Amino acid sequence: MPATAAPIARRALRGDLLDFTADPGLGTPNAAAARFRPDHWLLIEGERIVAVLPPAQAPGDDWPREDHRGRLLLPGFIDTHVHSAQLDVIASFGTELLDWLERYTFPAEARHADPAHAARAAEGFVDALLACGTTAAVVFPTVHTTSVQALFGAARARGMRLVAGKVLMDRHAPAALRDDVTQAEADCEALIARWHGQGRLAYAVTPRFAATSTPAQLAMAGALLARHDGLYLQTHLAENRAEVAWIARLFPDARSYLDVYDRHGLLGERSVFAHGVWLDAADRARLAEAGAQIAHSPSSNLFLGSGLMDWRALHEAGAAVTVASDVGGGTALCMVRTLADAYKVQALRGEKLSAFKAVHAATLGAAQALQLAGEIGSFDAGRMADLCVWNWACGPVATHRDALARDLHERLFAWMMLADERALVTTVVAGRTRYERPTHESGAAMETRHERLEPGAAP
Ligand code: GUN
Ligand code: ZN
């Protein structure tokens, strides 16, 4: 439930602050990009971060203090691709992408035609994000405008940064989930007028993927993007081999799957393409040139057996890569678990994803790719106070491993591989606490060793 308490004008949180000032890079990370300020004060006034102070400069008595010493404070995670209507089908057995859509996902999404169901699901979804430490997200609801209204309404009630839009599907989907170009365009215009730029909300033109939109609908999507400033584009791209082959049959004139979107005016610096597993060098160069991003979805790619995304090739091409849960293809909303999966996917490719690079990609890197770095992603003064307090370790194994870490990267890497949403203590959105771990569980396995760590120590 959204908190109803009066706004907290000022608060000062004390703990181990970690954020990023630059991209640490792939491979051996540039440790200087990580800004570690152990046992510091983070000062929040209203919705925004106003300062970070060293331990010796405690704020005055007019700053209510919250003692999180020995805990990790991170900017809130940014999940760049997730489906609000798929919690019903998370962890569904035995299929790959196209069967999974038909058998599990489309029936679940069809239930969102019912406004009461859509409203309940949207509230549950945003609360589940907050309970995982995700404070901003790029979200697919369903084809129904009711599901979009419910989602934006739920995010606004919690002060969250959210990017979303009505799913466009005018072919190759069950009748209950199909729209048509004219009605879809009118619905999008009404939703843009209602929600785009309202507080922390932005509209994303959302063709599900090239298989479920006719060329006429893709052209309409491109026209919407051209007509309105600041819209996002979200869709799926090159996730699974059977899907890629299907797109090639549907669009025989296109050079590639990405080219289908490009021809319809869907590539730009606010374009978010989920997956991008099966791309070639020309696609990667075009993504970089357009300033578009790949929302890497490692949990989903493993679970649906889709493939191993080539982060290095995208990185070398200069294309942005962010990280996404892609629930319900992914098996966890928790971005810490998702980052652990990203490490394992890259390990299968022979690439070593540092914890610095991974956490950067899910915070400042995502904020930059979404053109939102002036608002979220770091602890710079003036940013919105979207942040989380985490226990460094939870349970005996993680606590044991944490105690042996010799430097910051080793400690953060062990946290990334071993933690999950149970390590989350508090989620703050725009200066207000929106999630608090029940007290009987919080801090049970906490350990305070911050003074041993070297700020910015190399892994
Ligand atoms: N491709 C088209 N729709 C979907 C979806 O809902 N999930 C995933 N993972 N891929 C898709
Ligand atoms: Zn998806």
Side-chain angles (χ1 to χ4, degrees):
M1 286 292 293
T4 51
I8 301 166
R10 283 181 157 184
R11 52 198 295 193
L13 280 68
R14 184 174 185 173
D16 298 341
L17 273 54
L18 176 64
D19 66 348
F20 292 84
T21 55
D23 183 347
L26 263 189
T28 305
N30 169 19
R35 179 166 56 180
F36 187 54
R37 292 175 282 189
D39 192 20
H40 275 54
W41 292 98
L42 181 80
L43 271 52
I44 300 170
E45 198 152 27
E47 298 183 321
R48 295 188 184 270
I49 294 164
V50 291
V52 171
L53 301 176
Q57 288 176 29
D61 291 341
D62 48 347
W63 288 88
R65 300 176 191 191
E66 296 165 47
D67 186 357
H68 292 293
R69 270 176 289 179
R71 289 176 171 156
L72 172 65
L73 270 65
L74 284 177
F77 282 125
I78 304 166
D79 185 344
T80 54
H81 178 74
V82 58
H83 297 256
S84 58
Q86 293 184 7
L87 289 182
D88 289 7
V89 298
I90 191 170
S92 292
F93 174 75
T95 54
E96 290 197 359
L97 174 65
L98 300 176
D99 293 341
W100 176 82
L101 287 171
E102 293 281 345
R103 191 182 316 177
Y104 300 116
T105 308
F106 289 158
E109 292 192 9
R111 295 198 283 276
H112 290 249
D114 170 7
H117 180 80
R120 266 194 315 275
E123 304 268 328
F125 171 76
V126 292
D127 282 336
L129 287 182
L130 296 171
C132 291
T134 296
T135 54
V138 183
V139 187
F140 269 61
T142 69
V143 74
H144 315 97
T145 54
T146 45
S147 80
V148 191
Q149 303 275 19
L151 180 62
F152 275 134
R156 188 181 52 184
R158 293 154 180 81
M160 278 178 82
R161 161 51 72 179
L162 194 106
V163 177
K166 183 197 119 59
V167 176
L168 300 170
M169 278 203 277
D170 67 346
R171 64 169 170 174
H172 299 139
L177 287 177
R178 278 201 306 268
D179 54 15
D180 62 68
V181 177
T182 310
Q183 186 60 47
E185 183 169 24
D187 288 346
C188 289
E189 287 287 3
L191 289 164
I192 291 165
R194 171 78 180 85
W195 296 106
H196 184 55
Q198 295 301 311
R200 307 189 71 191
L201 309 176
Y203 194 83
V205 177
T206 308
R208 183 178 209 113
F209 67 145
T212 46
S213 286
T214 58
Q217 191 173 60
L218 294 176
M220 181 274 283
L224 282 174
L225 286 166
R227 209 178 298 148
H228 297 277
D229 282 341
L231 291 184
Y232 289 84
L233 175 284
Q234 61 175 343
T235 190
H236 296 89
L237 169 68
E239 174 177 359
N240 158 295
R241 274 185 282 203
E243 171 216 13
V244 173
W246 189 23
I247 302 303
R249 291 196 298 279
L250 291 172
F251 295 91
D253 297 337
R255 195 203 68 79
S256 69
Y257 194 158
L258 181 69
D259 188 45
V260 174
Y261 295 136
D262 205 1
R263 286 164 178 237
H264 292 95
L266 304 183
L267 246 78
E269 55 189 17
R270 285 192 165 81
S271 299
V272 182
F273 294 104
H275 306 293
V277 174
W278 304 100
L279 302 174
D280 64 16
D283 293 330
R284 289 188 283 266
R286 182 70 190 105
L287 285 166
E289 181 188 46
Q293 68 182 283
I294 292 297
H296 174 38
S297 306
S299 167
S300 171
N301 295 163
L302 292 169
F303 181 72
L304 293 174
S306 301
L308 307 173
M309 190 217 62
D310 191 343
W311 196 324
R312 168 137 319 262
L314 282 158
H315 179 77
E316 285 177 359
V321 177
T322 57
V323 185
S325 68
D326 191 31
V327 161
T331 53
L333 280 178
C334 171
M335 290 299 286
V336 188
R337 295 195 203 210
T338 306
L339 297 180
D341 282 343
Y343 178 83
K344 294 170 192 170
V345 165
Q346 293 312 307
L348 283 165
R349 297 198 63 92
E351 185 68 55
K352 299 295 180 247
L353 179 69
S354 72
F356 289 160
K357 175 67 176 173
V359 176
H360 169 268
T363 54
L364 182 64
Q368 287 171 336
L370 293 168
Q371 320 266 307
L372 292 173
E375 176 188 325
I376 53 176
S378 79
F379 292 144
D380 284 348
R383 300 295 175 272
M384 292 294 273
D386 289 359
L387 57 105
C388 292
V389 181
W390 297 89
N391 283 324
W392 274 108
C394 229
V397 173
T399 300
H400 173 80
R401 181 64 185 88
D402 181 62
L404 296 173
R406 288 153 303 178
D407 60 37
L408 175 61
H409 186 268
E410 186 177 343
R411 192 177 196 193
L412 187 70
F413 183 72
W415 176 80
M416 177 175 105
M417 299 311 296
L418 301 177
D420 58 33
E421 63 274 21
R422 288 168 291 189
L424 180 61
V425 178
T426 300
T427 303
V428 175
V429 178
R432 291 218 210 171
T433 296
R434 295 294 184 181
Y435 171 79
E436 238 167 345
R437 185 161 184 75
T439 44
H440 66 278
E441 291 172 294
S442 89
M446 197 185 84
E447 180 146 327
T448 308
R449 297 184 308 105
H450 52 276
E451 66 282 353
R452 278 213 300 114
L453 288 171
E454 297 294 322

